[in-house]
Amino acid sequence: MPCPSSGCESGSIWCPPTPPPTFNSAVIHGWLADQPVSPRLLYFDRKRARSRSSQAPQPKRRRPLQSTHANMSRRSPRRRDSTEQLSPNRKAQGRELDVFSDNGYIEENAVLRDTEITPKPTRRGQKRGLTQQPLDLAAFSTTQRPDNITPSSSYTNALARHPRLPPSNTNSSSSSIQSEKSKLKRATSPAKTYSDLQLLNKPVKYGVMDAERDDLPEDIHVLIEDLQALCENVSIIPSKMQDRITGAKKRSHWTYETGRDELDLMIELDTVRRVQAAAVSLSTTGDHEPQWYCSVQWPLLDIAFRHQSYIEPKQISYALPIKECLPQTGERYSESRLVDFAINLIPQSVSNDSLSGWLRSQPNNTRTVNQSLYAPLCRHPTIISIEVKVNGTEEEARVQIGIWLSAWHERVSQLSANEGHRVITLPVIIVLNHHWYLYLAVDKGSHIVYAS
């Protein structure tokens, strides 16, 4: 039947009057203090107190041990039949459980002046709890207080002292969260295209390397000569392997002498061929960058620097640059950009103790020789940075490598004692699938040029 207080279809429960409009603790306690105690609970407490005062707890009696015979059945004694007489304690417990029967509901409904009979709860409902529809709390604001309940001063005073808050608006809260996120995003200046790199305080530009120009830095003259020799296929194959490579005998300038073992060279040649086959396969299967790292890029880097004890390749896809080292557009820092591999130089003339002492002398946020606090980059300076793109474009790779190297230039400038001193030129490699492109990051003072 409909509840006279709230109009909800739950006749087996009693609905309280209008709840407090806010969740202030003082208002909640005041409202609870004004609510009448359920007659069913009073009846239950009275019965329990009477039974406790009339009967003292009696110690349990154990059944005496019965003599057994070898041929007797060893089954446990039979359970008491339901027709047997109950003890006084069991009778008292039965009377206490009567408050949950129909009589308890009828008494409660009578107190609440109910005019209809409350449906009888089933035994299953007594064990598992009565099922009912969820209450509509919004309907409490329009219901009237029952006539037999009078407000006291505690709830009224608490409500008067507590100001009424406006109803919460989910849309406004969500919009405020979005505005906070947008403010955080606006704190940085995203560089997504090549033109954005030219707007940095120290612009980044891309150009074509011309070996005939005299304005190229002296620190890359030897490197350029070696690159020209490699492009002409001069001294690229060990002489012990010329019989195993087609066309090597006809071109003697391809080979060079080495003291390495022939078996080691055969293993290396087999690895190169397997990497080549993996690159062709990955180009057709559509694998993502992590698979390319494992099957192509890392095996090649391992072959190239395996015999160089002072050089180590590192996979640094999760190495974040330091914020204070990021390039700026005006007063705003650029967003962090990551690269995939770094070739680090292991210093031979600097001991670990002296390097550790120098790192301890640096501020907490700059205890590194590079532009990142990633542990493998803190002690060994990076000499080559590599960015891999499988599904991306060359422009995206240029932006990433441009931001990363600009942060490196800023960190090296902080470590340099001479202000305005040009940073050493570093090689940069961009890998698109299985195509490797070399750039040289040249510090021009006012800007950085990536010459290809």
Side-chain angles (χ1 to χ4, degrees), residues 183-235:
K183 290 180 181 179
L184 293 176
K185 290 182 178 180
R186 286 194 296 268
T188 58
S189 176
K192 298 181 179 180
T193 61
Y194 170 69
S195 59
D196 295 332
L197 296 179
Q198 300 182 11
L199 300 179
L200 300 175
N201 294 351
K202 189 172 183 178
V204 175
K205 302 179 180 180
Y206 283 85
V208 179
M209 179 175 54
D210 188 1
E212 302 298 332
R213 295 180 59 182
D214 297 333
D215 57 348
L216 289 177
E218 295 182 358
D219 54 6
I220 62 171
H221 285 176
V222 177
L223 178 60
I224 291 177
E225 293 177 359
D226 293 339
L227 291 175
Q228 288 178 342
L230 289 176
C231 293
E232 297 173 359
N233 296 329
V234 176
S235 301

Side-chain angles (χ1 to χ4, degrees), residues 388-443:
V388 179
K389 281 296 179 184
V390 175
N391 298 322
T393 62
E394 185 178 3
E395 183 177 13
E396 295 176 357
R398 285 183 173 184
V399 172
Q400 288 185 234
I401 207 74
I403 296 297
W404 177 262
L405 258 295
S406 295
W408 184 85
H409 275 242
E410 176 62 26
R411 179 56 181 158
V412 174
S413 299
Q414 295 174 2
L415 299 177
S416 177
N418 300 327
E419 294 186 1
H421 179 74
R422 293 188 178 184
V423 180
I424 187 174
T425 302
L426 288 187
V428 177
I429 297 176
I430 294 178
V431 183
L432 301 178
N433 292 338
H434 196 40
H435 302 279
W436 298 57
Y437 301 92
L438 176 66
Y439 294 85
L440 296 177
V442 181
D443 184 12

Side-chain angles (χ1 to χ4, degrees), residues 43 91-105:
Y43 177 79
K91 290 182 179 180
Q93 294 180 4
R95 287 195 300 269
E96 291 178 0
L97 294 176
D98 288 342
V99 297
F100 296 103
S101 63
D102 297 343
N103 298 331
Y105 286 103

Side-chain angles (χ1 to χ4, degrees), residues 293 297-317 340-346 374 376-377 380-386 429 436:
Y293 300 159
Q297 280 86 36
W298 182 258
L300 289 179
L301 294 177
D302 180 65
I303 292 174
F305 303 105
R306 181 183 303 171
H307 302 283
Q308 306 291 337
S309 59
Y310 55 90
I311 294 178
E312 60 173 2
K314 289 293 183 180
Q315 211 280 331
I316 58 168
S317 296
D340 297 311
F341 294 96
I343 310 301
N344 296 338
L345 178 65
I346 302 177
Y374 182 52
L377 300 179
H380 301 156
T382 299
I383 56 177
I384 302 176
S385 299
I386 302 175
I429 297 176
W436 298 57

